[in-house]
Amino acid sequence: MQNERLNPESIDQYIAAFPETVQDALVKIRRIIKEIAPTAIEKIAYGIPTFWMNGNLVHFAGYQSHVGFYPTPSGIQAFREELSKYETSKGTVRFPIDKPIPFSLIKKIVKYRVAESKRNSGKSKRQ
């Protein structure tokens, strides 16, 4: 199981390598992203689940004590107030697995990143 976590071939395989409580959170995050960004490409990048839409949209990952969510630095910055009760860094937020995961906030961040991706895509086409 550890090797699957280190080198998963698919997001399904990645999620399956975790305990059920972590799997549940990862499945819900994946579902949210797919609902908001149905045309985004799912892949494993940097060893973790990634959604790609005109570039990197978001990543997410499971850990023993938290779920990592990676909406790029702009996604963290745009929601810094709402994310202030969580551990964050430049492009990362860590949601403790023993506390309720803020799925509604994740939805808002993904919507923001989709809109940002579309804006950025339009800019590159005009240049």
Side-chain angles (χ1 to χ4, degrees):
M1 181 158 50
Q2 185 63 22
N3 288 341
E4 289 176 358
R5 206 178 290 174
L6 294 175
N7 295 306
E9 293 179 14
S10 69
I11 293 177
D12 289 328
Q13 187 182 46
Y14 179 90
I15 291 172
F18 286 91
E20 193 173 327
T21 54
V22 178
Q23 282 184 31
D24 290 346
L26 297 176
V27 166
K28 287 178 185 171
I29 291 170
R30 182 185 190 188
R31 191 176 305 132
I32 287 168
I33 299 165
K34 287 173 77 167
E35 175 185 305
I36 295 167
T39 61
I41 296 167
E42 286 187 300
K43 63 183 182 175
I44 296 291
Y46 309 106
I48 60 174
T50 300
F51 281 78
W52 187 263
M53 188 175 128
N54 304 318
N56 175 45
L57 187 65
V58 294
H59 305 275
F60 63 94
Y63 298 93
Q64 186 172 346
S65 62
H66 71 277
V67 170
F69 184 61
Y70 311 94
T72 75
S74 64
I76 298 293
Q77 184 64 25
F79 294 89
R80 67 184 172 279
E81 213 170 291
E82 291 171 87
L83 292 170
S84 65
K85 59 182 158 187
Y86 303 100
E87 185 181 343
T88 61
S89 62
K90 185 177 177 181
T92 305
V93 60
R94 292 167 194 85
F95 298 119
I97 205 68
D98 62 346
K99 303 222 182 332
I101 305 286
F103 295 111
S104 61
L105 177 56
I106 291 171
K107 267 186 189 181
K108 287 168 52 175
I109 295 170
V110 173
K111 285 179 183 178
Y112 172 84
R113 287 291 299 131
V114 166
E116 186 174 52
S117 174
K118 288 178 180 176
R119 279 193 313 272
N120 290 342
S121 173
K123 285 180 188 174
S124 64
K125 288 178 183 172
R126 287 192 301 262
Q127 293 176 351

